[in-house]
């Protein structure tokens, strides 16, 4: 899944700017990141949990169990960050940011419950791989907020890519995996674009 780095969080201009200079973020910007990521991925059951109920493949079970356990801890981490960051402030009276991200979450719920063989797994693969780009930013947020970052316990990049290769022997399953992965990456890019737009709107106001 090489295209995760090309089309996921790492490709977002806002993320590149943050990585270059984290100090550009205000306290409100930090609260936005914690709050909206928590809306998208802080609820149980999440993408991986749904995928586990849709996957009968024996080869995927061990990976899914590890991913479920890992994201359970990540949800708790997101919640701690959100509480520490405090409430977000609206950009303007017609701000629809919460509704937008809630719609994204609904789309991910539907995706991860798809009956198409491989679709939910592809979404899970992309989430785990893209989290490799998201997690360092969350650790910086945690340090800024005085929250002790905990070590991440998700499946490794190598084990994820290996399982993806193993399950992609069928072209139909491969297409479904790629579709699920692409949808996750699209939603993540959309989230970072939303966060950047909110920051820019505040700079103008």
């Amino acid at each position: 899944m090489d295209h995760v780095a090309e089309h996921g969080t790492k490709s977002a201009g806002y993320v590149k700017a943050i990585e270059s200079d984290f100090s550009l973020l205000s306290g409100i910007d930090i609260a936005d990141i914690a709050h909206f990521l928590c809306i998208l991925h802080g609820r149980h059951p999440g993408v991986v949990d749904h995928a586990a109920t849709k996957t009968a493949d024996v080869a995927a079970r061990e990976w899914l169990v590890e991913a479920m356990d890992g994201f359970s801890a990540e949800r708790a981490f997101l919640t701690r960050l959100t509480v520490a960051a405090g409430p977000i402030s609206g950009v303007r009276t017609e701000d629809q940011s919460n509704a937008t991200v809630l719609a994204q979450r609904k789309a991910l719920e539907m995706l991860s419950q798809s009956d198409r063989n491989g679709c939910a797994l592809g979404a899970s693969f992309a989430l785990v791989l893209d989290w490799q780009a998201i997690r360092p930013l969350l650790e910086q947020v945690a340090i800024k907020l005085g929250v002790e970052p905990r070590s991440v316990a998700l499946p490794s990049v190598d084990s994820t890519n290996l399982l993806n290769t193993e399950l992609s022997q069928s072209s139909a399953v491969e297409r479904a995996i790629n579709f699920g992965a692409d949808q996750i990456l699209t939603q993540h890019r959309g989230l970072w674009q939303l966060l950047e737009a909110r920051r820019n709107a505040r700079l103008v106001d």
Side-chain angles (χ1 to χ4, degrees):
M1 288 204 160
D2 295 335
H3 66 295
V4 170
E6 296 178 21
H7 302 289
T9 290
K10 278 283 188 184
S11 69
Y14 191 39
V15 172
K16 292 177 181 177
I18 296 170
E19 289 178 334
S20 175
D21 182 10
F22 187 79
S23 67
L24 67 84
L25 296 180
S26 68
I28 298 174
D29 299 329
I30 287 172
D32 269 7
I33 291 172
H35 175 81
F36 288 110
L37 272 172
C38 196
I39 288 180
L40 195 62
H41 291 301
R43 182 179 178 179
H44 182 268
V47 169
V48 178
D49 306 289
H50 285 307
T53 67
K54 292 291 183 180
T55 304
D57 194 288
V58 175
R61 295 308 302 174
E62 183 177 346
W63 186 94
L64 283 165
V65 169
E66 184 181 359
M68 283 191 293
D69 289 345
F71 266 109
S72 177
E74 291 303 292
R75 281 192 292 270
F77 183 45
L78 279 174
T79 299
R80 288 199 300 274
L81 294 182
T82 303
V83 171
I88 62 169
S89 58
V91 175
R92 55 184 69 85
T93 55
E94 69 273 19
D95 181 40
Q96 294 294 313
S97 300
N98 267 301
T100 298
V101 181
L102 283 169
Q104 285 187 300
R105 186 175 75 190
K106 183 66 175 176
L108 293 187
E109 287 175 353
M110 293 176 64
L111 176 71
S112 58
Q113 295 179 76
S114 170
D115 290 327
R116 184 180 176 188
N117 186 23
C119 185
L121 265 178
S124 298
F125 291 163
L127 176 56
V128 166
L129 294 174
D130 205 38
W131 205 255
Q132 300 289 332
I134 294 172
R135 195 38 153 77
L137 297 179
L138 293 180
E139 290 172 8
Q140 288 184 281
V141 166
I143 292 169
K144 185 75 173 179
L145 295 173
V147 175
E148 184 177 355
R150 58 173 304 282
S151 59
V152 67
L154 291 169
S156 69
V157 172
D158 287 344
S159 67
T160 303
N161 284 327
L162 186 64
L163 180 59
N164 174 50
T165 300
E166 182 179 345
L167 297 178
S168 296
Q169 298 303 312
S170 159
S171 59
V173 173
E174 182 182 20
R175 287 193 298 272
I177 287 174
N178 289 337
F179 175 80
D182 286 340
Q183 294 305 306
I184 285 283
L185 301 180
T186 297
Q187 297 298 346
H188 281 181
R189 288 197 310 274
L191 178 65
W192 292 113
Q193 289 164 3
L194 172 69
L195 293 172
E196 183 177 24
R198 285 175 59 83
R199 179 178 185 274
N200 291 340
R202 283 192 289 265
L203 293 176
V204 171
D205 288 346

